[in-house]
Amino acid sequence: MNLSNPWFLAALIAILGVFHLEMIAKLLNLARYGLPLPERLKGVFDEETVKKGAEYAGKSARLDLIQNAFFLAVLLGFWWAGGFAWLDRTTAAWGWGELWTQVAVIGVIVLVKSLLSLPFEAWDTFGVEAEFGFNRTTPGTFILDRVKGMLLMLVLGVPLLALIVWFFQTQPLAAVWAWLCVTGFSLLMTWLSPRLLMPLFLKFTPLGEGSLRTAILALAQRLKFPVADVSVVDGSRRSSKANAFFAGFGKTKRIALFDTLVEKHTEDELLAVLAHEIGHCKLRHVPVQITIGLAETGLMFGLLHLALQSPAFFQAFGVSGRPVGLGLVFFAFLYQPLGLLLGLVSSAVSRRHEFQADAFAADACTAPPLMTALKKLSTENLAHPQPHPLTVALHYSHPPLVERLAALEKRNASANVMPA
Ligand SMILES: [Zn+2]
């Protein structure tokens, strides 16, 4: 422990600060279940649903808190006991050379963290989610998902990581190269993901001929949205929670509907939700989000570059020299508060986009079906009827239901007074 090292203090404050902020946000959010429902939500959430939602949120929050406290204790214990220096020595002794040793250090940390997370994930899926009737994942799917995830990380993550480590070991302009590299990688991913990655986890079946298919194609044509095919995804194999659609990128869009969504909604509601998704595409929300993400990545690499120059940064974690791999891990701890702060901006932008897509859907299909769809999604997924503003600011990529309904009602009212 070296209190005179500013990096040490900054890291300690960052780690403890984020832990406590998240805890406070959770407690404030739970307390809001006791509030009386506003007029607009009275017909939506009955007493039973609110009570069940509060129990569900309480149990999820307890699991989160235990998990966060556990990882905090492991991290502080490892740090205080000189674990990072030990890991540095141990991996160096493997004789893998400068580059792969640093990749291995990160690999070991990621692997251990994933293994330690497993019991908590299992508790979440087979404990909390199952208790409230959401879980449909079998232990086989659960394990297979994680194995596939690990393999993907090995195939895609390790080469990218090795390249980044190599840049920071050898190039004076490492931050720029790393940024270009990550930019290329994330653009490749947005292209690959619906084509190659999602099919690894989900099964896509073409939506059969029928009134729904005809209506979807008619809507797409009316909105001048070129659709290559419409498929149904077997989300129900994992969870009963209804998820919205996603649409592929590129010239010909592929629309995919979760089977859980199709099951629970009327044709009009499905069309309204789909119009909302088409709204995101038409209003170019994805490129805006990607740009914000890339700007943040640029800032992150710039700061990382500064941190890696400082021997005191490594000494704060008990490590001598400047091993890049461990440096990346330490930087991740220090970056947390700033990441949280920047996250506020990107989620605020995302919530604005949701309002815009809602308005687009209301204009394309009228507001009422979207409103009933949103109400159904909220109650079935046991969403918080009145989340605390701090939780909304920190974690909500979508505005709370009551705000979306208010905006849609306003839109609907102004559409109705307009002359035909
Ligand atoms: Zn949306």
Side-chain angles (χ1 to χ4, degrees):
M1 253 204 273
N2 184 0
L3 289 172
S4 63
N5 183 339
W7 292 105
F8 176 84
L9 275 181
L12 195 60
I13 292 169
I15 290 166
L16 292 176
V18 169
F19 174 81
H20 286 97
L21 180 71
E22 293 284 2
M23 183 161 73
I24 291 165
K26 250 180 206 116
L27 295 176
L28 287 174
N29 201 37
L30 285 180
R32 303 249 312 176
Y33 271 101
L35 292 181
L37 284 179
E39 215 41 60
R40 193 167 273 122
L41 292 185
K42 273 195 178 138
V44 182
F45 291 87
D46 54 40
E47 216 174 292
E48 192 64 27
T49 313
V50 176
K51 216 179 113 209
K52 203 173 156 199
E55 270 174 50
Y56 174 56
K59 287 189 174 166
S60 300
R62 193 182 59 174
L63 170 58
D64 277 352
L65 284 180
I66 293 174
Q67 183 174 7
N68 290 347
F70 170 76
F71 277 109
L72 181 68
V74 169
L75 170 61
L76 293 181
F78 192 71
W79 183 2
W80 261 240
F84 291 114
W86 168 81
L87 185 63
D88 190 36
R89 281 195 309 273
T90 310
T91 45
W94 294 349
W96 284 11
E98 217 176 319
L99 173 63
W100 293 105
T101 302
Q102 294 310 309
V103 175
V105 166
I106 299 180
V108 167
I109 291 175
V110 170
L111 189 70
V112 169
K113 176 141 198 267
S114 309
L115 288 176
L116 290 177
S117 304
L118 263 184
F120 297 104
E121 286 171 19
W123 179 2
D124 181 44
T125 305
F126 301 108
V128 181
E129 295 288 310
E131 186 183 335
F132 291 87
F134 291 131
N135 179 48
R136 287 186 191 166
T137 305
T138 60
T141 308
F142 180 83
I143 293 167
L144 205 63
D145 277 355
R146 268 139 200 88
V147 172
K148 284 184 203 162
M150 276 286 171
L151 288 177
L152 268 182
M153 208 139 75
L154 219 62
V155 173
L156 296 170
V158 168
L160 181 69
L161 181 65
L163 206 54
I164 289 173
V165 169
W166 182 76
F167 286 142
F168 279 98
Q169 278 176 337
T170 59
Q171 303 297 313
L173 286 176
V176 178
W177 292 119
W179 183 79
L180 285 174
C181 193
V182 167
T183 302
F185 182 79
S186 58
L187 293 179
L188 181 72
M189 276 302 133
T190 46
W191 186 82
L192 267 188
S193 157
R195 287 171 176 80
L196 208 78
L197 302 188
M198 284 176 193
L200 284 179
F201 293 91
L202 298 162
K203 206 171 137 222
F204 290 72
T205 324
L207 177 66
E209 293 295 333
S211 70
L212 180 59
R213 192 185 169 85
T214 314
I216 287 175
L217 293 177
L219 173 76
Q221 197 172 31
R222 189 154 59 81
L223 298 175
K224 300 195 171 53
F225 186 80
V227 172
D229 77 299
V230 186
S231 34
V232 178
V233 174
D234 62 340
S236 62
R237 221 151 53 82
R238 291 184 178 74
S239 169
S240 69
K241 280 185 180 170
N243 279 304
F245 303 73
F246 50 83
F249 301 92
K251 259 191 221 117
T252 50
K253 319 285 183 190
R254 297 168 65 196
I255 291 171
L257 329 168
F258 274 82
D259 53 357
T260 37
L261 194 79
V262 178
E263 261 164 44
K264 290 168 183 166
H265 293 261
T266 66
E267 203 171 291
D268 280 346
E269 288 164 2
L270 289 171
L271 289 177
V273 177
L274 182 56
H276 169 102
E277 294 304 321
I278 293 177
H280 281 309
C281 264
K282 288 262 168 189
L283 300 166
R284 316 221 116 258
H285 288 161
V286 179
V288 173
Q289 296 279 2
I290 291 179
T291 310
I292 293 176
L294 290 178
E296 193 191 337
T297 315
L299 176 70
M300 203 181 71
F301 279 130
L303 293 173
L304 173 67
H305 184 78
L306 290 179
L308 291 180
Q309 306 297 312
S310 161
F313 168 67
F314 291 91
Q315 280 154 16
F317 294 89
V319 172
S320 54
R322 289 187 288 156
V324 170
L326 278 171
L328 283 170
V329 175
F330 302 154
F331 182 76
F333 300 142
L334 269 154
Y335 186 73
Q336 273 189 70
L338 187 60
L340 211 81
L341 222 63
L342 294 172
L344 297 181
V345 179
S346 64
S347 357
V349 171
S350 164
R351 290 195 299 274
R352 241 178 84 91
H353 285 168
E354 291 307 322
F355 281 127
Q356 291 170 357
D358 279 353
F360 180 94
D363 295 348
C365 300
T366 76
L370 184 59
M371 291 168 73
T372 51
L374 291 176
K375 287 174 188 172
K376 273 191 198 172
L377 283 169
S378 287
T379 49
E380 276 166 12
N381 293 351
L382 290 179
H384 197 315
Q386 309 177 77
H388 191 276
L390 182 59
T391 297
V392 174
L394 285 174
H395 300 299
Y396 272 49
S397 59
H398 289 60
L401 176 67
V402 70
E403 288 175 25
R404 294 179 79 176
L405 291 181
L408 281 168
E409 267 170 35
K410 233 171 101 187
R411 192 93 188 171
N412 198 34
S414 64
N416 286 341
V417 294
M418 277 208 307

